Amino acid sequence: MASVWAHPKTGIYYCRIGIPEAIRSAFGGKREWKVSLKTRDISEARYRFRSESMRCEEAFKAAREQLQGRPQVLPSDAPKLADRWAQRVLSEWEADHQTLTAFLAQIGDEVLPLDAVAVHDSSAFQEREAVALPLLREELQRHSLPQPETADPSYRALIDEFFRSWCRLCSFAQRRQEGDWRSSPELPAAAAPLAKDVAVAKAEAPRLSEVLEGWAAKKLSMDKTADKTVSECRAVVRRFIELSGDLPVSQISRARCMDFCSALLKMPAKGDGIRSLTLPQAIAKAEAEGLPTLSHASVKKQLRFLSGVLGYACKTLEVIPEEPVLASGLINDLVRVSRRQVRRTGEEKSYTRQDLRAMFSGPLFRGEWSPPRSDFGRALYWVPLLLAYTGARLGEVAQLLASEVRCCPDTGVWFLDLRPGDDKSVKTGSSVRRVPLHDDLLALGFLDYVQSVPADGRLFPKLQPHKTNGYGYAVGKAWGEYLREVAGVRSTAKPAHGLRHTFKTLCREVGIETAVSDWITGHAATNVGDSYGGNPLSRMAEELKRFPSIAKDAGLLS
């Protein structure tokens, strides 16, 4: 019997449907399909119940077919199979660019998407069928699924979904042909389980991949700048699935989390091709080649991501009784271990004077070298100099607008106006600040450079935003390669962030007051009183005159 049921303690409504005895073995012996409707409103619960009961009936139907050795395709499988097919085609394009020509047509000198030429009337089912049927047959074979009868509603749904996917890929094939390899179609259903897979899962618990998507949607709705966090979390969950499979979250126990932690501790920290390997393959490579493994701090960070997703399943979805990562105590154990380890000192995170001399006297700053494969304009010259003389973060400088290089009308001091907006973000509230420009930057011609770019555009117009790491990702990577391969700088400091540490070190070396250097770098006030009032630009500029001349030491200025 199907019913809407209210939990006596929480008041949250549930969908409760009895599982027929003949198919209970497909659900682990469960007698009831019980799923939270996630609402205390009876009207909303009844609306959600209709949708959930339809999903339940589909699962029952698939279970009957599967128990009889006949897996079945349902209408809900159509977008999932179409997205999986499109995902596979996109991967083939990445491996062999010539394969995308199958989605293009040559009309004279003009290259057009094939759908614009071959399909004149997309409303005619016969034409859609002629295009889509060969594609869906191949995908059904890959999943060992039968082709539905033409009278089956699933058949028409498959034809329509595969035709839509084919049209989208034709359009994206033309973009690829024109050089756009950045944009890609969204394929949200590709990761969703098919009905035949849902039927054998526990009825009351979604799979980890489904919970991840719910967590990600909630995270992005609350914080529009959380793309990087969501991307990192997806990578962690993908690693877990590589190790244990895409389990219903009710099957993710403390023991499985401990196994995942043990595997991460064996994961190589770096190495050629590591990202393309599965977790077991990466571990095998690390053991075979003796590669350094992830630090306890890195493992702890990854476990926190998994904990966040499982916490969403526990507290928001209410489909598991506890969050197994925290319940296992793994994170606390790693914290205790990492505190016993020797941390890198400030000196190890900074560059020496000799390092600075080597990097800024190199061929890049003499106009004798440029990146062989990328064109960053003048960004690779000015960004490191700005980092060295301001202590700013790479992302803060790389995203600057030309109009944010300003002169104070009261003091005549030139400064960078660092603030969010216009596709720009800052790390913390204290990161919104004015940073005076050192006299060396003016002597090197920085203001002339600013005048050379459009006043209403970006300061470094050739820098393109990375999907999760902002405008500084590509230029930062190129700077690191330059230091290692061209300038010959051998340091434990991080290529870009090391200049921020170095700025603080040099400020202390020449006696610049800590409060002033904190104003310049955007470090938070140490007490409530320090957060009152403003940070005088004239005071910062005066103190900055004492900062060592890196450019003179490197021979850039006489």
Side-chain angles (χ1 to χ4, degrees), residues 291-498:
L291 299 176
T293 55
L294 291 178
S295 67
H296 286 84
S298 295
V299 173
K300 180 182 70 175
K301 181 180 179 181
Q302 296 198 37
L303 288 177
R304 287 195 186 280
F305 280 124
L306 180 62
S307 174
V309 175
L310 294 175
Y312 173 78
C314 176
K315 296 179 181 179
T316 304
L317 302 183
E318 298 181 326
V319 293
I320 53 176
E322 69 173 15
E323 192 282 278
V325 176
L326 287 179
S328 66
L330 285 169
I331 292 177
N332 288 335
D333 291 342
L334 286 169
V335 170
R336 286 193 287 270
V337 171
S338 61
R339 284 175 179 169
R340 291 199 299 267
Q341 296 174 337
V342 178
R343 294 184 176 181
R344 288 200 303 158
T345 65
E347 286 81 3
E348 290 174 317
K349 296 178 182 179
S350 303
Y351 291 111
T352 65
R353 290 291 190 99
Q354 184 177 354
D355 292 333
L356 294 173
R357 193 177 303 116
M359 68 175 68
F360 289 113
S361 65
L364 168 63
F365 296 93
R366 297 196 304 268
E368 300 170 358
W369 181 89
S370 60
R373 296 179 300 276
S374 303
D375 181 10
F376 300 111
R378 295 288 286 165
L380 196 54
Y381 177 91
W382 284 114
V383 167
L385 283 168
L386 289 168
L387 298 182
Y389 276 103
T390 65
R393 299 176 180 90
L394 172 60
E396 293 173 335
V397 170
Q399 68 184 2
L400 277 167
L401 303 178
S403 60
E404 290 171 330
V405 181
R406 298 174 178 167
C407 181
C408 176
D410 295 330
T411 63
V413 173
W414 284 92
F415 64 95
L416 304 179
D417 192 9
L418 302 181
R419 58 185 61 252
D422 296 300
D423 195 26
K424 302 187 290 92
S425 61
V426 294
K427 186 175 182 180
T428 64
S430 61
S431 300
V432 179
R433 64 196 189 279
R434 297 184 300 173
V435 179
L437 293 174
H438 193 280
D439 289 342
D440 281 2
L441 293 171
L442 307 184
L444 287 167
F446 179 62
L447 296 182
D448 292 334
Y449 168 74
V450 175
Q451 293 294 323
S452 72
V453 298
D456 59 350
R458 296 198 172 272
L459 183 58
F460 303 108
K462 292 200 173 182
L463 297 187
Q464 299 298 318
H466 185 267
K467 59 181 179 181
T468 56
N469 294 310
Y471 285 88
Y473 177 76
V475 73
K477 188 175 181 181
W479 172 243
E481 292 174 357
Y482 169 77
L483 293 183
R484 291 190 304 273
E485 300 171 11
V486 181
V489 175
R490 299 289 180 263
S491 173
T492 56
K494 293 184 178 180
H497 204 65

Side-chain angles (χ1 to χ4, degrees), residues 5 16 113-114 154 178 188 319 356 412:
W5 174 77
R16 298 181 66 176
L114 193 58
S154 302
E178 294 171 353
V319 293
L356 294 173

